[in-house]
Amino acid sequence: MSKISPSEITPEHIYLSRRELLKSMGILTGGAALLAACNGNPPPMTLEPGPQGDPAADPVDPSASSNVDELGDPLNTFDDITNYNNYYEFTTDKIDVARLAEGYPISPWEIQVGGLVHNPTTFSLDDLRKFEIEERIYRMRCVEAWSMVIPWMGFPLSKMLAQVEPKAEAKYVRFETIHDTKGMPGFTKYPFYQWPYVEGLRMDEAMHDLTLISTGLYGKELLPQNGAPARLVVPWKYGFKSIKSIVKIDLVTEMPILLWMNAAPNEYGFYANVNPEVDHPRWSQGTERRIGELGRRETLMFNGYADEVAHLYSGMDLSINF
Ligand code: MTE
């Protein structure tokens, strides 16, 4: 696995207030940041149960259909993808998420899909397994300016939404992660976030064929650290839009207020499309570091998916992204 020091998408005012808190508790010594530790027509497939992070995993995993994405970029290893994670419900320390999430119970599980729909439906794990599973090799670009190439397994969100029959008034989709205050230590450690983790998409973004509900990667079921049993993947948007471990999906008329918009309205907006021209207040977005590589790469508009998605935003001022 690539060794990278942890960093975080935590807004600065929250970071600073936590610093003050830790200082007052005598946990921060001098400039030494203890906070450093806190600191996108195949045949039907079935997924094998995921191994619990095999450290000796073969770097060229034979369970993906290709070793490269459509741009020729090599896939990240299973080890990279499952050991360098952002999942604040467990911890803000990317390296420690896998350990803390190991064995997290994901069965039984339900995803309630409702709101402005004709046919509200609760999907069980078995229901999720009935969807035709496809492999989608996508780049994932985090707003912190690192990226990976991941062979996701899953099905288009549009197929799930078709089953619930959206009403014409539905304009947005709101997603919610499990809010398990007992089983996930992040709720106690970071009480300043307005939990649960909430994300959202405009209806046309949600219905786009690239938008995936992922239930696996590298031919195996998702591990908890990657958002088991089912998470969103929207490859042309910054990674924080790809909400993990979904329990609720609602179709609504108003643009939902998202966890990150609540935490730092001056830093995070609703759309968050990957855009090398628009810097985040704290991270320049022109280049990125591909996990496992030295040096930096140019960041691509819409993370390289402009041909597929740019039309969704025609007429919009793309300089207002956060
Ligand atoms: N979903 C939840 N519920 N909690 C999180 O902290 N982090 C987001 C996103 N989804 C996050 C989440 C961020 S910032 C990123 S970059 C991706 O998940 C990381 O996904 P990965 O850990 O599978 O690479």
Side-chain angles (χ1 to χ4, degrees), residues 134-138 150-156 209-212:
E134 305 172 24
E135 180 197 66
R136 299 280 185 99
I137 297 178
Y138 287 159
I150 303 178
W152 298 108
M153 316 295 298
F155 53 87
D209 182 61
L210 285 179
T211 304
L212 203 69

Side-chain angles (χ1 to χ4, degrees), residues 6-321:
S7 62
E8 59 176 25
I9 62 175
T10 303
E12 195 169 25
H13 70 270
I14 287 176
Y15 170 90
L16 290 174
S17 58
R18 197 169 50 200
R19 252 187 105 81
E20 290 312 309
L21 178 72
L22 291 177
K23 230 195 252 172
S24 69
M25 292 162 65
I27 294 176
L28 270 185
T29 50
L34 175 71
L35 282 176
C38 311
N39 261 349
N41 257 355
M45 300 184 195
T46 49
L47 300 177
E48 295 168 21
Q52 284 293 328
D54 175 5
D58 187 338
V60 184
D61 195 307
S63 46
S65 66
S66 169
N67 289 334
V68 292
D69 68 7
E70 84 284 5
L71 302 178
D73 294 352
L75 305 192
N76 279 93
T77 64
F78 182 83
D79 203 34
D80 280 341
I81 301 166
T82 57
N83 285 285
Y84 188 72
N85 301 103
N86 268 334
Y87 201 163
Y88 279 27
E89 287 87 336
F90 287 102
T91 174
T92 58
D93 180 345
K94 293 172 177 44
I95 310 296
D96 213 22
V97 175
R99 181 184 69 80
L100 288 170
E102 187 173 352
Y104 186 78
I106 52 146
S107 179
W109 195 275
E110 286 182 344
I111 304 181
Q112 291 175 12
V113 189
L116 295 168
V117 299
H118 293 289
N119 182 29
T121 307
T122 297
F123 292 87
S124 67
L125 275 183
D126 278 348
D127 296 328
L128 293 175
R129 289 185 182 121
K130 285 181 193 139
F131 284 94
E132 185 177 308
I133 300 295
E134 305 172 24
E135 180 197 66
R136 299 280 185 99
I137 297 178
Y138 287 159
R139 294 170 290 287
M140 185 176 72
R141 168 66 159 75
C142 181
V143 72
E144 298 163 332
W146 55 266
S147 61
M148 293 200 206
V149 184
I150 303 178
W152 298 108
M153 316 295 298
F155 53 87
L157 172 64
S158 61
K159 291 196 175 171
M160 182 182 242
L161 296 183
Q163 289 197 17
V164 299
E165 300 170 28
K167 291 186 178 170
E169 312 92 87
K171 298 284 180 282
Y172 295 92
V173 187
R174 180 187 182 277
F175 304 85
E176 210 175 285
T177 293
I178 188 167
H179 190 191
D180 172 9
T181 51
K182 293 207 175 75
M184 296 168 138
F187 298 114
T188 325
K189 278 197 278 185
Y190 321 118
F192 35 75
Y193 289 121
Q194 288 187 35
W195 303 107
Y197 199 102
V198 169
E199 259 305 334
L201 293 174
R202 216 169 54 186
M203 199 64 194
D204 57 347
E205 298 176 322
M207 295 302 286
H208 194 286
D209 182 61
L210 285 179
T211 304
L212 203 69
I213 291 288
S214 170
T215 54
L217 58 87
Y218 267 121
K220 303 166 189 74
E221 289 178 345
L222 284 182
L223 292 177
Q225 59 265 42
N226 293 107
R231 55 97 55 89
L232 188 68
V233 181
V234 196
W236 71 94
K237 291 179 179 284
Y238 291 114
F240 64 84
K241 300 290 295 179
S242 292
I243 182 171
K244 297 180 170 181
S245 306
I246 298 169
V247 289
K248 202 162 183 292
I249 301 178
D250 281 313
L251 279 67
V252 296
T253 49
E254 301 289 320
M255 182 182 277
I257 305 295
L258 314 176
L259 178 131
W260 290 113
M261 289 163 72
N262 258 326
N266 59 325
E267 294 195 9
Y268 295 100
F270 183 83
Y271 285 97
N273 294 316
V274 175
N275 187 341
E277 307 285 321
V278 181
D279 287 340
H280 179 275
R282 283 180 295 131
W283 295 286
S284 149
Q285 298 296 333
T287 63
E288 66 199 57
R289 196 159 57 82
R290 185 63 52 82
I291 299 302
E293 287 182 2
L294 296 171
R296 298 184 75 82
R297 293 171 165 258
E298 299 285 311
T299 287
L300 304 175
M301 187 64 197
F302 293 113
N303 203 21
Y305 300 98
D307 287 351
E308 290 90 343
V309 301
H311 67 279
L312 297 175
Y313 309 101
S314 58
M316 262 181 69
D317 181 358
L318 294 179
S319 71
I320 305 167
N321 200 28

